[in-house]
Amino acid sequence: MNRSELRQTVRQLRRALSSSEQRQFAQQACQQALMVINQHKVKRIALYLTNDGELDTRPLIEALWQQGISVYLPRLHPFSQGNLLFFNYAPTSHLTQNSLKIWEPKLDITQMVLPHQLDMVITPLVAFDQQGNRMGMGGGFYDRTLAKWQQQGKPYPVGFAHNCQGVKQLPTQHWDVPLPLIITPQKTYHYSLTSRSMASDD
């Protein structure tokens, strides 16, 4: 399958999950993620609000709030097409829907951080493979955001996905940014950035 066909197939798989499965998987993934976040001593983390059958981030966001960890959400850059800005997200934050029908924070410069000021970014994805490659929706937003993370040391990128989104091998492009770690409800996968080998924690 080409990239477009693969996106369509995997999106159908995750949308087919029942409401009870979504709730169960979200809680399981939350526990997996909290272990990783605490191991990395994260103080500032960016997440996303769930859309299109994605693994629900709400339980994780609420757990992070309870732990006093600052949560940030992406917003489409108003002047630089294809780029993201990140704003603090609190229980009282006002959200609006963007052109992609995704909820995002209000444009408030006092609540903004630059990507390298974040400790970790948990990214949405459509599919991932056994080498840690990530396929998004095709806009390249996160590839641009994470293009320099290894040189800068921040933000550490982590994928967040249902198990059904894993495939053996993805067709990749030169601008795709592979992930060192992907969290699913059942396992956390670690990838070597040099050999692209995979290990997992049950």
Side-chain angles (χ1 to χ4, degrees):
M1 285 188 287
N2 62 32
R3 290 167 73 95
S4 177
E5 292 169 337
L6 189 56
R7 278 193 186 94
Q8 184 177 1
T9 298
V10 177
R11 288 173 68 194
Q12 287 173 345
L13 286 174
R14 70 185 185 190
R15 284 197 298 258
L17 295 169
S18 68
S19 297
S20 61
E21 286 174 322
Q22 283 279 12
R23 286 192 297 271
Q24 177 188 345
F25 294 157
Q27 290 294 339
Q28 291 172 339
C30 173
Q31 295 307 312
Q32 297 269 7
L34 288 174
M35 287 190 288
V36 169
I37 290 164
N38 290 326
Q39 285 169 0
H40 284 260
K41 297 181 171 55
V42 169
K43 299 298 182 187
R44 289 178 168 181
I45 183 170
L47 284 98
Y48 61 93
L49 296 181
T50 303
N51 183 52
D52 190 45
E54 292 169 335
L55 184 56
D56 192 359
T57 58
R58 178 59 59 180
L60 178 55
I61 290 171
E62 292 178 353
L64 293 170
W65 283 339
Q66 290 175 5
Q67 290 191 16
I69 295 173
S70 297
V71 176
Y72 294 80
L73 292 181
R75 178 185 172 92
L76 298 180
H77 199 299
F79 313 120
S80 181
Q81 188 174 1
N83 289 290
L84 298 173
L85 298 173
F86 292 90
F87 294 86
N88 185 257
Y89 178 47
T92 56
S93 295
H94 177 69
L95 302 176
T96 58
Q97 265 191 320
N98 64 25
S99 59
L100 303 176
K101 304 299 182 185
I102 295 172
W103 291 97
E104 61 181 18
K106 191 171 81 169
L107 186 61
D108 181 353
I109 197 73
T110 66
Q111 299 298 309
M112 189 181 82
V113 295
L114 299 174
H116 71 269
Q117 294 176 302
L118 295 163
D119 298 313
M120 183 176 286
V121 172
I122 291 187
T123 75
L125 56 88
V126 175
F128 67 95
D129 70 12
Q130 296 178 3
Q131 290 73 47
N133 294 306
R134 168 190 175 273
M135 177 183 284
M137 286 296 291
F141 295 101
Y142 282 91
D143 291 317
R144 294 184 189 93
T145 299
L146 300 170
K148 298 181 180 178
W149 85 265
Q150 284 185 268
Q151 297 96 305
Q152 297 174 338
K154 283 185 178 184
Y156 188 76
V158 175
F160 202 60
H162 291 290
N163 290 81
C164 66
Q165 293 173 246
V167 300
K168 186 174 181 179
Q169 187 171 10
L170 286 172
T172 59
Q173 303 286 354
H174 66 87
W175 58 78
D176 291 335
V177 176
L179 302 174
L181 192 146
I182 294 175
I183 294 168
T184 71
Q186 279 75 42
K187 289 184 178 182
T188 296
Y189 295 97
H190 302 266
Y191 303 91
S192 167
L193 293 176
T194 52
S195 65
R196 308 308 303 151
S197 59
M198 176 179 71
S200 67
D201 295 336
D202 291 331

